[in-house]
Amino acid sequence: MLTGSFLLFLVQPMIARLALPRLGGAPAVWNSAMLVYQALLLGGYGYAHLISRLAPRRQRAIHLALLLAAGAFLPIGLSDRALPSDAEPALWVPYLFALSIGPLFFAVSSQAPLMQRWYELARPGTDPYPLYAASNLGSFAGLIAFPLLVEPLLSVTQQRWLWSGGYLLLVVLVLMCATRLPPRATSAADVAPSAPPPPRSRVLLWVVLGLVPSGMMLATSTFISTDLVAMPLLWVIPLALYLLSFSIAFAARRWPADSLTRAAPVTILLFGGIMMGGFADRATASTLMALLLLFMISVALHTRLYRLRPEPARLTGFYLAMSVGGALGGVFAGLVAPTLFDWTWEYPILILAAGALVPQTPLVAGLRVLWAGRRVRWVAVAAIALALAVVAGLFAHEAGGLRTVRHTGATFAVVAAVGLLTLGARAPYLMVLASALLLFGGFRSLSLSLEPGARLRSYFGVYTLVEEPRRRTLVHGTTLHGVQLTGTAARERTPTSYYSPATGIGRAMRAAPMLFGDKARIGVVGLGTGTLACYARPGQRWRFYEIDPAMAELSRTHRFTFLADCAPDAAIELGDARVSLERAATGSLDLLALDAFSSDAVPMHLLTREAFAVYARVLAHNGVLAVHISNRFIDLGPVVAAAAHAGGWHALILNHVPSDEEEEGTPSSWIVLTRDPWTQALLAGDDGDWHVLRRRPGFAPWTDDYATILPLLRF
């Protein structure tokens, strides 16, 4: 079980990594991959449930035959089928993933429930459920191993062979387990459940208890990377805590799970409201609280699942229902919520759902007596509602409390005290929890959602537009993505933030007429607010490559007018930039600016050696490639330096710090590369701000076969 789960959580990021160069970095690719994983996992659990009704000998024969048949698809990898020109990507990409890894993933995904069933058959009367803890330890190990060990140490080709070897080991282990099945039980009746099937309400509860933690895991990843800190590898931590919660909830020793379950309602009450505030200025503390909240919710709900488990003969149906819930939670948080909501509203919704589901006990016995009487309960509910209304009226301000809350410490103390008194009484507890979510961030987020055009959400993240005196800004997650000055036409055409005239890209754009003449061909990867368009000159041909249709729409509206005012004829090509540039004609650009960011993260496949070869082909021989590497968490300089050396580029870097006279300037780092020494000399001129980009000794360039960010992290 441990080996199978390790392989499952190793193959997911590995195959997605393989798909990046061919399919691009669009979220649709990742969403399609997750849908295929969830569908195959459901299929594997359903298959385990079906064959568990057969006699052990038949189970053994069928499962071993399935494992051997799936082995025909080794070594694991992505099919070499190319995307047809008339294909619908939303349908074709899942087909490609299913064709490539479907049989292997399906066979391995059935291991957890089926091996527990075999264990119970081999040792009647024993409890197989604690083995699920071993399964999730394997999942945790596979998840952590990929970014920390496998990706930094092995190329993708080596990873494929490592996984294939692990699969062969799994087949041997399953064969050894199969020999321990009882030889005498030859009919399905010998292993049939003794108790009646659980009622539908119980099965539905299993599904819901699986849905909320799964959705909460994805919602937490989205929330902390959108509203707190866009740090690489951050998605690993919520998923790791989610998997560890299973190991605690299903372990043979019950006191850790029981202790954490008792504390979960208090944690939800105290931290749920605080997290709604999204305190980016205290990102570390807020992130830790969000992770603790996720962990406590997951342990509590998975412990309740464990307490509601059926007899071992029905465990495969139990795991199937739990898997259905997990898949629905993923679909809700990963696909439905970004479509329905303009902000991460799935986060407070799932916090409320968790508060409704976690087991509760009063703090003291006297409170149990208080909440036992119906009349007393309704009087208390009315008193709580009145107290919370008074708190909101006293401490909230600006448009009736729809902006922010004053005196958050006093407000929090009142809400927490009232909430602790409601433990053990579900309805009053949920009233207090909902009030906390509204007071600490909910009102503020609601006001932005009600303000037309203030916020926009796509699969790439949440964009917030802020109108202030003499300027408007765009924030993607927690990262500034553009500033436009307002007041006069001249101010509105002024490049700002990372793109001001004194930055590296500003100097390169101003030098374009001198380097390439009046008809320079300019390409920009990453549209943003369209700030760079205001470097356009008559006669130049501009083309933007943008992956997010929402950004393309935003740049055409009246909110940001850079594109409309400065380059209304510029072409915008939607889709992954690398895929688009691979279709472009050789030597069709003179200057290409690489400014692709998702919040603060740079798509890895745009910085590989193969990607730089694409840029070299598209650019003229004396063309210039400008790469934006400003980043709070990763030093991308060594990546570009290594790629430049491997591709024969000359590279200069300019780290710009705005002066006091520079309005709305932002510190930035730009690298310009060219294969022509004369062009490099003209760019550098006599300006001492440019410096030759130095290679980091021993750092190999990223390739489509190998890349890791661990050596580049800024701690």
Side-chain angles (χ1 to χ4, degrees):
M1 288 177 63
L2 187 144
T3 302
S5 297
F6 180 87
L7 293 175
L8 277 183
F9 276 81
L10 194 63
V11 75
Q12 293 187 22
M14 186 176 73
I15 292 298
R17 173 79 173 78
L18 274 170
L20 276 179
R22 192 191 314 178
L23 303 178
V29 175
W30 298 94
N31 293 336
S32 297
M34 288 306 301
L35 284 176
V36 171
Y37 296 149
Q38 291 173 336
L40 292 173
L41 186 65
L42 271 177
Y45 275 42
Y47 154 79
H49 178 59
L50 288 175
I51 73 166
S52 67
R53 302 177 180 182
L54 304 176
R57 287 185 179 179
R58 291 189 176 182
Q59 293 184 39
R60 175 171 55 197
I62 293 173
H63 192 56
L64 288 173
L66 174 66
L67 290 172
L68 293 175
F73 288 81
L74 295 175
I76 194 169
L78 199 65
S79 172
D80 57 1
R81 298 195 179 187
L83 175 66
S85 58
D86 58 344
E88 171 56 49
L91 299 176
W92 191 88
V93 173
Y95 164 75
L96 177 64
F97 276 98
L99 180 68
S100 303
I101 65 168
L104 289 165
F105 198 97
F106 177 84
V108 176
S109 65
S110 64
Q111 287 299 115
L114 191 60
M115 291 301 103
Q116 289 179 79
R117 180 65 175 133
W118 283 13
Y119 180 82
E120 194 272 335
L121 290 174
R123 299 184 179 183
T126 58
D127 184 8
Y129 284 101
L131 289 177
Y132 199 58
S135 171
N136 283 278
L137 283 176
S139 302
F140 174 78
L143 176 68
I144 296 299
F146 184 81
L148 299 184
L149 294 175
V150 176
E151 189 176 46
L153 299 178
L154 301 174
S155 68
V156 171
T157 302
Q158 293 170 326
Q159 294 171 28
R160 293 174 57 202
W161 285 105
L162 172 68
W163 195 94
S164 301
Y167 182 83
L168 296 177
L169 172 63
L170 178 66
V171 174
V172 173
L173 294 174
V174 172
L175 180 60
M176 294 172 63
C177 290
T179 62
R180 306 301 301 272
L181 287 173
R184 295 182 180 179
T186 56
S187 68
D190 295 327
V191 294
S194 57
R200 292 183 178 179
S201 58
R202 175 63 58 87
V203 175
L204 179 61
L205 183 57
W206 291 344
V207 172
V208 173
L209 290 173
L211 184 155
V212 174
S214 172
M216 190 69 189
M217 179 265 297
L218 289 176
T220 299
S221 299
T222 303
F223 182 77
I224 60 181
S225 62
T226 297
D227 274 25
L228 297 179
V229 53
M231 185 175 180
L233 297 182
L234 198 62
W235 62 270
V236 173
I237 303 176
L239 183 54
L241 293 175
Y242 172 78
L243 295 173
L244 280 179
S245 71
F246 279 110
S247 298
I248 294 174
F250 282 75
R253 290 188 176 182
R254 301 307 310 155
W255 68 266
D258 293 339
S259 300
L260 292 173
T261 299
R262 284 193 293 270
V266 179
T267 305
I268 295 172
L269 179 67
L270 297 182
F271 288 171
I274 292 177
M275 292 318 306
M276 279 294 294
F279 302 118
D281 56 337
R282 301 176 184 174
T284 301
S286 298
T287 301
L288 291 176
M289 284 190 289
L291 294 173
L292 178 61
L293 180 63
L294 166 67
F295 182 66
M296 297 295 284
I297 287 174
S298 299
V299 170
L301 297 186
H302 291 154
T303 298
R304 189 176 179 190
L305 264 173
Y306 178 82
R307 292 172 180 171
L308 296 173
R309 69 194 186 282
E311 61 172 320
R314 297 192 182 276
L315 66 81
T316 55
F318 169 71
Y319 286 123
L320 178 61
M322 190 169 66
S323 178
V324 170
L328 291 176
V331 169
F332 169 68
L335 296 179
V336 176
T339 303
L340 291 182
F341 306 137
D342 69 339
W343 184 67
T344 51
W345 286 109
E346 65 272 19
Y347 191 64
I349 290 173
L350 289 166
I351 290 176
L352 273 176
L357 291 169
V358 293
Q360 290 189 20
T361 55
L363 288 178
V364 295
L367 291 176
R368 188 190 304 273
V369 176
L370 171 66
W371 294 113
R374 179 175 299 181
R375 183 173 301 177
V376 174
R377 183 184 306 173
W378 282 110
V379 171
V381 167
I384 291 171
L386 179 61
L388 294 174
V390 171
V391 168
L394 290 175
F395 295 145
H397 72 106
E398 292 187 29
L402 290 183
R403 273 292 177 188
T404 185
V405 175
R406 296 176 297 181
H407 312 302
T408 53
T411 309
F412 177 77
V414 173
V415 173
V418 175
L420 292 176
L421 294 177
T422 65
L423 288 177
R426 189 77 58 182
Y429 174 85
L430 289 177
M431 284 182 57
V432 178
L433 178 59
S435 301
L437 293 173
L438 287 172
L439 288 171
F440 300 102
F443 280 140
R444 184 187 62 189
S445 295
L446 184 61
S447 67
L448 286 172
S449 294
L450 294 176
E451 184 179 339
R455 195 153 52 191
L456 180 68
R457 182 175 182 179
S458 71
Y459 283 115
F460 295 82
V462 176
Y463 304 99
T464 303
L465 288 80
V466 181
E467 289 281 357
E468 297 175 299
R470 296 177 61 80
R471 74 169 194 166
R472 63 176 65 96
T473 61
L474 176 70
V475 178
H476 184 191
T478 58
T479 303
L480 178 69
H481 267 232
V483 178
Q484 185 171 27
L485 305 178
T486 58
T488 65
R491 284 174 56 82
E492 291 185 355
R493 294 169 181 260
T494 302
T496 58
S497 64
Y498 312 104
Y499 318 104
S500 66
T503 62
I505 188 62
R507 301 181 193 204
M509 288 292 184
R510 287 185 292 138
M514 175 187 65
L515 294 172
F516 312 115
D518 294 335
K519 296 184 178 181
R521 300 160 300 173
I522 312 293
V524 179
V525 175
L527 176 60
T529 57
T531 310
L532 287 176
C534 283
Y535 286 107
R537 296 292 179 266
Q540 292 180 347
R541 287 176 290 171
W542 280 65
R543 179 175 294 273
F544 289 91
Y545 300 90
E546 175 56 49
I547 196 171
D548 190 354
M551 289 304 301
E553 183 64 26
L554 182 68
S555 67
R556 294 189 179 104
T557 66
H558 66 280
R559 302 303 294 268
F560 288 95
T561 61
F562 290 118
L563 200 63
D565 292 343
C566 302
D569 297 329
I572 300 177
E573 187 164 342
L574 294 177
D576 183 85
R578 178 169 166 184
V579 175
S580 298
L581 287 168
E582 286 174 347
R583 298 192 298 259
T586 301
S588 57
L589 292 175
D590 296 310
L591 192 155
L592 177 62
L594 190 62
D595 184 39
F597 285 85
S598 177
S599 191
D600 208 32
V602 179
M604 183 179 288
H605 70 294
L606 295 181
L607 295 177
T608 64
R609 185 172 178 173
E610 292 84 350
F612 275 79
V614 173
Y615 309 146
R617 184 189 63 79
V618 173
L619 285 168
H621 177 70
N622 66 333
V624 172
L625 173 66
V627 184
H628 191 190
I629 64 166
S630 304
N631 198 286
R632 290 172 291 177
F633 304 106
I634 314 175
D635 179 12
L636 293 170
V639 178
V640 180
H645 181 267
W649 300 81
H650 305 281
L652 298 170
I653 184 171
L654 194 153
N655 297 309
H656 173 66
V657 178
S659 63
D660 294 337
E661 293 79 19
E662 189 175 336
E663 187 175 4
E664 297 300 339
T666 304
S668 65
S669 295
W670 282 87
I671 298 172
V672 294
L673 304 95
T674 180
R675 291 165 294 167
D676 180 29
W678 180 251
T679 301
Q680 180 192 26
L682 289 176
L683 279 171
D686 297 327
D687 194 338
D689 292 340
W690 289 103
H691 300 282
V692 175
L693 182 65
R694 304 294 182 185
R695 292 180 61 201
R696 177 184 291 185
F699 187 88
W702 283 358
T703 68
D704 290 344
D705 198 46
Y706 175 81
T708 176
I709 66 170
L710 287 183
L712 308 172
L713 289 177
R714 292 187 171 116
F715 294 98

